[in-house]
Amino acid sequence: NITETIKEAELAEEEHEFDAISALGLNLVIIGCLLLAYAVKKFRMYYLPESAGALIVGMVIGGIVRLTTDDLTLFSFSPEVFFFFLLPP
């Protein structure tokens, strides 16, 4: 049926747009962490390690996302992913 095909195409387009925005956000966070690490080294901020700067960037971005987004399904925690991919053997 042609109406079902059109609806599927619209859903696919919405999903693609969401994925593109998510990828852009992830890239911006990574760039922000790199710029902060560069600033820490350039201005010799010995009281702030690079890892602490990355944590601060993550907390700020996470706070902004939490305040502006109602649907947090992208940011849900999966124990299977943690145990199989993130936890070292």
Side-chain angles (χ1 to χ4, degrees):
N1 196 341
I2 192 135
T3 57
E4 292 177 6
T5 307
I6 291 173
K7 287 180 185 179
E8 289 176 5
E10 288 174 354
L11 287 174
E13 177 125 4
E14 288 177 10
E15 185 176 339
H16 178 70
E17 182 179 344
F18 179 74
D19 291 342
I21 291 172
S22 298
L24 175 66
L26 179 63
N27 285 323
L28 289 176
V29 169
I30 291 172
I31 290 169
C33 288
L34 289 172
L35 290 175
L36 186 63
Y38 173 75
V40 166
K41 285 189 176 199
K42 177 154 175 76
F43 298 114
R44 296 186 178 112
M45 292 186 261
Y46 297 115
Y47 54 88
L48 181 69
E50 293 176 23
S51 58
L55 277 169
I56 291 170
V57 169
M59 288 187 337
V60 168
I61 298 298
I64 291 170
V65 168
R66 178 68 94 174
L67 291 174
T68 59
T69 306
D70 292 333
D71 183 24
L72 294 174
T73 57
L74 177 67
F75 305 104
S76 63
F77 178 76
S78 171
E80 290 84 16
V81 172
F82 176 74
F83 285 117
F84 289 122
F85 298 111
L86 299 177
L87 189 66

